[in-house]
Structures are given as C-alpha cells and as structure tokens.
C-alpha cells in the first residue's frame, strides 16, 4: 500500500511504509545516497536514505535520475537533519519510469515562468506551480464550503449559449459549418440556420443570465465554471478562458451583495491560510514577501465602501500622475483601481453606483437616473477582483435600456420574462478564480495560476 507524503504523521515512525513519487534530487556519498521524492501532496518531498549495501544499489542508483518516478519502501524514522520531520530508511527502491537526464527540461537550475509556460505539462513538478495548484484547489473548495454553508444551490449553467451576457460582443463562436464553404443566405451572409444549433451559438462569457432564472425560483444559487472572453487583452490580469464563481440571490439588494462578496473573500482567504500553511510560507518567502500579513490584514479589516463619484474625486486630487485621465463618466483603468486599493486606502475597496453608460445593460438604475446599482471589489496589486450588481427587475426600464443599446430584445425574451412573471429584487456578482489565486499567492502573472492558460495566440496543450 502506498502512503502519500502529506499523510505521514509521527504515528508512522518506526513503521514500514511505501511512498511513490518523482525524484527531485539525488545526493550520493560513500555509504549512502539521499534521494528526495516528491508526490505533489505537499511542497516538501520526503528524503529517502538509501544504503549502498542494499542489493542492486548501483544498478538502481544509475536509473534514479531527477524526474524519474520511483517507489521507496522502508522504515520511517525521525529525521536528524534540519527542515524535515521524517525520512525513510529504504530497504528497497524500485524505479517505475526512467527519465532521460540529458533531455529532461526541469534541471536543478532556476527557470523563468515564461520558460515554464512552454512546458506546461511538466511545470506542475516545480515547487511554485505545485504550490499554486494546491492553493487553487483550496480556494475552490472553500468556495463550495462557503456557499453551501449559506444555503446556496450549486447550479451548472451552460457553456454553449446564444445570449451575450455582458452585451460586449466578446464571444467565441461555436460552429460545425464547413469553414471553406459555409452555406450562404440569398444576401450572401453565412446561413447559421443550417449550423448545428440552427442559430449562431457561442461560448459563454458568464453564467449570470441563466443563474438569474434559477435564483428567481430557488432563491440563492451559485455557478462555478469556465467562461470565455474573446477580448484581445494581453495583460497579466486577463485570460481568454477563466473560471468564474457567480452567486445570485433573490430578494436581495446591493447591500446584501456587498456583504456576501466581502464575507466570501474573507472566508476563502482564511481557509487557504489554515489549510495550506506550508505553501503559503513558500509564497511568503520566495514569491511575494509579506503576502501572509497582507491576507491577514484583508481578513481582519472591513472593506472600504465608497461611490464611484467619490472615487473620481479622490483620483482627481491624487498626487500620482496617471497614464489615463479620470473624468466622471469614464471607466476606471487598472492603474486607478490599484491606486485606490493599494495606495489610498491600503485595503480592499468596494466601489458602488457607477455611471450607467459604462456598465452592463442588466444593472438596476438608481433613483438619480444616472447611476446603476453596481459594485466592483478592488484589491491591492490585482485591481478588480469582483464585479457585481443589483439587477434591473423592472421590465419597462430594462426594455428601455436594451433599446438604447440596440440589443436584440427577442434574443433575451426569456430573461425579460423573468421580469414579467413574479419579478423580485435580486443581486449577484462574479469573481474570477484566477484573480483570487493571483491575489492570495502574490504571483505576478495570471498565466501561471491556471494549469493550461489560454490567451491570444496561445491554446497549446
Ligand atoms: O466584471 P465581469 O465582466 O462581470 C460579469 O461577468 C458579471 N456577469 C458577473 C455577475 O454579476 N454575475 O467579470 C466578473 C469577474 C471580474 O471581476 C474578474 O475577476 C473576472 O471576472 N474576469 C476575468 N478574469 C480573467 N480574465 C478575464 N478576461 C476576465 N474578465 C473578467
Ligand atoms: Mg467588471
């Protein structure tokens, strides 16, 4: 039976165990070799002490190169060395899969994250990407825990959809039409009635619209799935495919939305610190000095709430010179968002009541007739981590807005019917999981916190 390294406890000392993993390093001395095996269950591997007197020693050692997979059996003992609790006194080591030392790309030297992206199939064997994967897992699990404990229902919204949730036209088309000879209409346009779905179809940019339908029946739901944006953003904060968590609450307003967002973020970060202390220490020591303190501070301080209008006043008076000028009515850029969270308030900020013209069509118009009940949560070093709103629940106002934006009302017929049949105030938000992982780990680039990143010109693996 194989034991994972993470499962080892003091109770296993002096017992016979088998561990399996990949060789991280081999250090040979006259009478012994010290082999570090890592199985990914924890950051640290287990040191295996291999006695030169063991039958087959020379032959096995030759095949135990960095990257090879192996099983080691023997007695777990208390480690005398520093930095590790146990080591394994091997009585037998079996090489499972050899690794060509000449060509193995993960040599012991330091590799850049850019290089590691070119070997995305092997990079999870590095300390950093392994730790990121475990942190991502913890944050995902915390997400389910948080919403389930609050009585939210986990909803699977479709990946293929006909409606553009954000109305921004940044969707990837899904088609089975022959790209060399698509059927044409008499007017010469591509005839999508002959396509697989009998109409144009796309990869979803958000599960919100479908989420609203279920919230308006089951009260509180959340989606957690892949979303796609065909925006040509080559930044360290954007992906073409990312995982979004979207709660939607019936009988809820913007205040309920803010409360939920703040509690959720704090809960997820606390869970990460509690369940991944070793990985968090690694990030703190090697990736982003002080990241643990930063998270503790976020968990322990109330988020700063202010209106968009107030934020614009602060930005206009800011001593900092921005690349993009700020005027009431313009969308805030990442530099503005980061200034507010990082430099001005030095903690997460929730901005509310944005001008209607810079936000999506479904947001509820405020009584001033100019702003909508939107909220963005901004955090230091990342900027926008959450975008949400109270939804426009009045059909006449929703229709008016769709007309102003020339959105095809027929395409949204069912969304509009939710306002016709038992409409209720409701609100929700979306959080990009990768932005949360970035923030929580202190990693620099969003491409390194998702296993196989998709961004312009990159869909390898
Ligand atoms: O602000 P967004 O566009 O809002 C929505 O999609 C709403 N439908 C959410 C809702 O109310 N249910 O996106 C929400 C979040 C952003 O705050 C950001 O964290 C993330 O999704 N996000 C991206 N993450 C990575 N790459 C991209 N290209 C992203 N676009 C948005
Ligand atoms: Mg947004």
């Amino acid at each position: 039976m194989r034991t994972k390294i993470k499962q080892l406890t003091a109770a296993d000392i002096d017992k016979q165990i088998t561990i399996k993993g990949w060789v991280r390093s081999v250090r040979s001395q006259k009478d012994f070799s010290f082999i570090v095996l890592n199985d990914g269950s924890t950051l640290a591997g287990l040191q295996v002490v291999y006695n030169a007197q063991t039958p087959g020693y020379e032959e096995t050692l030759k095949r135990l190169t960095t990257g090879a997979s192996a099983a080691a059996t023997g007695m777990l003992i208390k480690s005398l060395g520093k930095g590790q609790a146990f080591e394994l006194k091997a009585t037998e080591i079996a090489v499972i899969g050899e690794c060509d030392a000449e060509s193995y790309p993960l040599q012991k030297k330091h590799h850049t994250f850019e290089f590691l992206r070119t070997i995305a199939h092997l990079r999870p064997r590095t300390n950093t990407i392994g730790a990121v994967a475990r942190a991502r897992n913890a944050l995902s699990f915390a997400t389910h825990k948080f919403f389930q404990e609050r009585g939210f229902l986990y909803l699977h919204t479709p990946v293929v959809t006909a409606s553009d949730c954000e109305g921004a036209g940044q969707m990837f088309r899904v088609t089975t039409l022959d790209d060399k000879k698509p059927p044409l209409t008499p007017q010469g346009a591509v005839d999508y009635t002959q396509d697989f779905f009998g109409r144009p179809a796309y990869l979803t940019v958000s599960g919100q619209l479908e989420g609203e339908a279920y919230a308006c029946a089951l009260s509180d739901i959340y989606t957690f799935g892949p979303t796609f944006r065909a925006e040509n953003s080559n930044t360290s904060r954007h992906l073409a495919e990312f995982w979004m968590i979207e709660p939607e609450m019936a009988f809820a307003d913007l205040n309920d939305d803010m409360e939920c967002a703040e509690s959720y973020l704090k809960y997820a970060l606390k869970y990460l610190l509690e369940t991944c202390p070793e990985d968090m220490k690694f990030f703190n020591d090697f990736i982003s000095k002080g990241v643990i303190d930063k998270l503790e501070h976020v968990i322990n301080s109330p988020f700063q709430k202010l209106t968009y209008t107030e934020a614009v006043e602060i930005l206009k008076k800011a001593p900092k010179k921005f690349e993009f000028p700020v005027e009431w009515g313009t969308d805030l850029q990442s530099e503005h968002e980061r200034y507010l969270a990082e430099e001005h308030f030095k903690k997460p900020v929730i901005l509310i009541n944005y001008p209607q013209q810079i936000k999506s069509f479904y947001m509820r118009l405020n009584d001033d007739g100019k702003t909508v009940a939107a909220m963005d949560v901004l955090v230091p070093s990342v900027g926008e981590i959450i975008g949400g709103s109270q939804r426009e629940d009045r059909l006449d106002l929703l229709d008016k807005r769709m007309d102003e934006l020339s959105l095809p009302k027929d395409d949204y017929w069912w969304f509009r019917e939710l306002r016709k049949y038992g409409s209720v105030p409701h609100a929700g938000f979306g959080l990009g999981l990768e932005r949360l992982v970035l923030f929580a780990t202190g990693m620099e680039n969003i491409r390194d916190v998702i296993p196989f990143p998709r961004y312009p010109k990159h869909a390898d693996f």
Side-chain angles (χ1 to χ4, degrees), residues 166 206 208 229 231 239 242 246 384-387 391 432:
E166 295 306 303
S206 156
Q208 178 195 324
R229 306 242 167 140
E231 55 186 327
L239 290 165
F242 63 98
E246 294 183 274
E384 180 190 338
I385 194 163
I386 287 182
R391 319 306 187 189

Side-chain angles (χ1 to χ4, degrees), residues 155-208:
L155 179 75
H156 297 118
T157 49
V159 169
V160 175
T161 178
S163 26
D164 182 357
C165 173
E166 295 306 303
Q170 294 178 326
M171 306 210 290
F172 289 101
R173 188 185 292 287
V174 176
T175 178
T176 53
L177 292 179
D178 182 347
D179 55 0
K180 290 185 200 72
K181 256 177 87 189
L184 299 178
T185 63
Q187 290 75 36
V190 175
D191 183 6
Y192 286 106
T193 63
Q194 295 190 47
D195 202 351
F196 186 90
F197 295 107
R199 55 171 306 154
Y202 307 90
L203 294 178
T204 189
V205 296
S206 156
Q208 178 195 324

Side-chain angles (χ1 to χ4, degrees), residues 165-166 205-209 227 229 231 233 237-248 359-360 362-363 376-377 384-389 391 428-436 446:
C165 173
E166 295 306 303
V205 296
S206 156
Q208 178 195 324
L209 303 190
T227 49
R229 306 242 167 140
E231 55 186 327
S233 296
R237 305 279 177 272
H238 289 86
L239 290 165
E241 176 180 302
F242 63 98
W243 284 67
M244 188 149 52
I245 292 132
E246 294 183 274
E248 190 72 32
K359 285 293 183 186
S360 299
Y362 51 71
M363 297 190 182
D376 274 9
V377 181
E384 180 190 338
I385 194 163
I386 287 182
S389 65
R391 319 306 187 189
F429 63 82
L431 168 130
L433 177 66
E434 291 73 19
R435 299 246 176 119
L436 178 61
I446 200 163

Side-chain angles (χ1 to χ4, degrees), residues 4 15 20 34 39 44 46 48 92 101 112 123 130 161 182 196 199 248 250 262 275 280 285 288 306 408:
K4 288 204 181 142
K15 291 204 178 117
K20 297 182 178 181
F34 300 93
D39 64 6
L46 186 68
V48 178
E92 190 194 340
T112 65
R123 68 176 183 163
T161 178
F196 186 90
R199 55 171 306 154
E248 190 72 32
E262 180 169 345
T275 58
M280 286 311 300
D285 291 346
S288 173
L306 72 161

